[in-house]
Amino acid sequence: MKKLIAGNWKMNGSLAANEALVKAMLSSLGGVGTAADMALCAPAPYLAQLQTLLQGSPIVWGAQDVSAHEQGAYTGEVSAAMLRDFACRYVIVGHSERRQYHGETDALVAAKAQRALALGITPIVCVGETLAEREADQTEAVVKRQLAAVIHAVAHCTSEIVVAYEPVWAIGTGKTATPEMAQHVHAVLRAQLAAATQHPERVHILYGGSMNAVNAASLLAQPDIDGGLIGGASLKAADFLQIVVSAR
Ligand code: PEP
């Protein structure tokens, strides 16, 4: 299975900056080839721009959140059907920043994943423990609880999701889980998927949390690390592409 390197721009960018970044990526893709599958997840207002810039290229695009509701009186929300109108291939759900700052519960994240799948959009389901939870030896229990909610909701579609293990203490902090620490959690998640789907090996389990051009190779060499969810480093064309090359 090819690895998947997905960028999460978070709330960064502008029309001008996005165009420069994407054009820089596309112009250097020759040297990268198709070492890995690539995706960029942008703020919703820029999805139309990404569609224009990336259509026909090897890079697909996606969103960073989706409503759990189908349509209607939900001011400010963006539906899965709207994401599909802009040909989104992926949507991130349950990013720790949404769980932390927007009070998203396991049940809400599961409903969002379900809504995305219903519209043919692959949810990138984020799970991960806080520093306090790791120190209390709760890492496995937390990630299993978070993933279990999604498995319960999407049931026979479990093999169609992407999982991203993102230890909260490693996101945007420059602190990365060691390859061994990450591999251990990925193996736990793989075993959990194996109980829910016949083909757990087909589910990409990405690592996210300060992955960069320097540490990517050793993380991506682990047997159960099938790619990366890249925040900060996805805002620099050369760094993002170096991570893609590391996925070979
Ligand atoms: C993320 O936002 O999903 C992420 C992993 O961020 P960073 O790479 O900046 O730690």
Side-chain angles (χ1 to χ4, degrees), residues 95-115:
H95 192 282
S96 63
E97 288 153 13
R98 298 220 49 95
R99 292 180 191 262
Q100 210 175 332
Y101 308 141
H102 302 273
E104 294 200 6
T105 61
D106 293 343
L108 180 65
V109 173
K112 290 182 172 196
Q114 200 174 14
R115 188 65 68 193

Side-chain angles (χ1 to χ4, degrees), residues 189-208:
L189 295 169
R190 183 87 64 201
Q192 190 177 3
L193 290 165
T197 169
Q198 283 190 316
H199 295 290
E201 75 286 355
R202 288 190 195 157
V203 179
H204 280 93
I205 307 178
L206 313 182
Y207 171 79

Side-chain angles (χ1 to χ4, degrees), residues 6-10 92 95-97 126 164 166 170-175 207-212 229-234:
N8 172 17
W9 286 355
K10 310 196 191 203
I92 298 170
H95 192 282
S96 63
E97 288 153 13
C126 299
E166 299 207 309
I171 297 177
T173 57
K175 290 184 191 142
Y207 171 79
S210 298
M211 194 188 271
N212 59 37
L229 184 54
I230 319 298
S234 72

Side-chain angles (χ1 to χ4, degrees), residues 21 24-25 28 32 213 233-245:
L21 177 58
M25 285 184 186
S28 304
V32 173
S234 72
L235 296 169
K236 294 179 192 151
D239 290 21
F240 185 73
L241 293 181
Q242 183 54 47
I243 295 170
V244 175
V245 169

